[in-house]
Amino acid sequence: MPRFFIDAVLTTAEQYALPDTVVRHIQVLRLREGDAITLFNGRGGEFQATLTSIGKRDASCDIQRFDDTSRESPVWLGLAQAISSGDRMEFTLQKGVEMGVNVFQPLATERSIVKLAGDRADKRVQRWQEIVIAACEQSGRNVIPQVLPILTLKQWLAALPPADAHLLLSPLGTRRLADIAQQPTQAWLLAGPEGGLSAAEENAAISAGWTPLKLGPRILRTETAALAAVGAIQTVWGDYSV
């Protein structure tokens, strides 16, 4: 069933005029009057509705019921991802949403190829947030992960976010998820850019309390490493079944 995010208060038993962005999607999907759709506003749960009218520039629906459905993992997971180039960053965000990441912290690091500041940085974060919303529509999540403003690694480490586990993805790591005795309810992952974190950055993260994590014997690309770790965490501590 098509799902659409609407940033507004939604209530049942009412006719609702859909915003322009949703109207365009409805037209692209060639939906018709009487088709069922799902709406969500990021505040939890979702609304079941039926399209009642579709025009060239407008559409409306009848919101029939609210389902208090949650598809969030039992482990809260933040991903601090060094900014990668091309479509790698967008791929990481999109798949991270599908796999259950709760918040994204883009980081400017020494080896980050893409340099963003000022309006360019703001616009890029806005674009990333749009990708996250689209991934929620596709994956069935009813809570929107936030893409935080870009920080340098030094700035971010100075205000270490609270969590039960702080995991640094490093080819030099020696710890495994299985070595962490107490299952966390909150965890952060820190992943480097294409060339990895510098030695000074890794040492700074370790000094700030991050645990170097070993994923396996092979070197992973930046867009693979974070997602592989998220998948492992969801398997060991989250809601993946094996």
Side-chain angles (χ1 to χ4, degrees):
M1 185 182 300
R3 302 179 77 253
F4 302 107
F5 170 72
I6 296 179
D7 188 13
V9 175
L10 300 174
T11 58
T12 57
E14 73 168 17
Q15 288 285 324
Y16 185 81
L18 297 165
D20 292 344
T21 53
V22 175
V23 173
R24 286 194 291 271
H25 287 162
I26 286 172
Q27 292 169 340
V28 169
L29 294 173
R30 298 183 179 180
L31 298 181
R32 299 179 179 180
E33 294 178 7
D35 285 348
I37 60 174
T38 299
L39 307 176
F40 67 104
N41 58 11
R43 296 163 173 82
E46 58 192 19
F47 296 81
Q48 306 306 324
T50 301
L51 290 171
T52 54
S53 67
I54 302 175
K56 291 184 178 180
R57 294 185 177 86
D58 55 54
S60 61
C61 67
D62 177 24
I63 301 178
Q64 296 158 330
R65 76 173 190 274
F66 172 74
D67 292 335
D68 189 16
T69 302
S70 175
R71 300 184 180 93
E72 298 303 296
S73 172
V75 58
W76 184 97
L77 183 58
L79 174 58
Q81 174 66 56
I83 299 171
S84 50
S85 61
D87 60 358
R88 294 182 179 91
M89 191 72 176
E90 295 184 1
F91 181 85
T92 300
L93 293 166
Q94 182 189 67
K95 303 309 175 184
V97 171
E98 295 176 20
M99 299 174 73
V101 174
N102 296 91
V103 64
F104 296 92
Q105 174 61 70
L107 294 176
T109 61
E110 291 182 20
R111 295 175 179 168
S112 293
I113 298 173
V114 177
K115 307 297 183 183
L116 298 169
D119 288 343
R120 286 190 66 223
D122 294 340
K123 290 179 180 178
R124 190 66 61 89
V125 170
Q126 181 180 355
R127 169 59 182 160
W128 290 337
Q129 189 68 64
E130 291 170 353
I131 290 170
V132 164
I133 291 172
C136 287
E137 291 179 331
Q138 181 274 325
S139 64
R141 292 185 67 176
N142 291 320
V143 178
I144 306 294
Q146 183 181 6
V147 181
L148 299 173
I150 298 169
L151 295 176
T152 66
L153 180 61
K154 182 178 180 180
Q155 288 172 326
W156 193 64
L157 291 177
L160 187 66
D164 304 316
H166 296 86
L167 305 173
L168 166 65
L169 303 183
S170 170
L172 304 179
T174 58
R175 298 287 299 277
R176 304 175 304 159
L177 291 178
D179 297 330
I180 301 175
Q182 185 174 358
Q183 177 174 331
T185 56
Q186 287 188 318
W188 271 96
L189 289 172
L190 172 55
E194 286 87 344
L197 297 175
S198 68
E201 289 174 327
E202 284 211 11
N203 290 333
I206 293 171
S207 298
W210 290 78
T211 300
L213 182 66
K214 180 181 179 65
L215 288 180
R218 292 170 294 280
I219 302 298
L220 303 180
R221 290 178 178 270
T222 181
E223 68 271 24
T224 308
L227 299 177
V230 171
I233 286 174
Q234 294 290 25
T235 300
V236 176
W237 298 326
D239 55 6
Y240 284 8
S241 57
V242 293

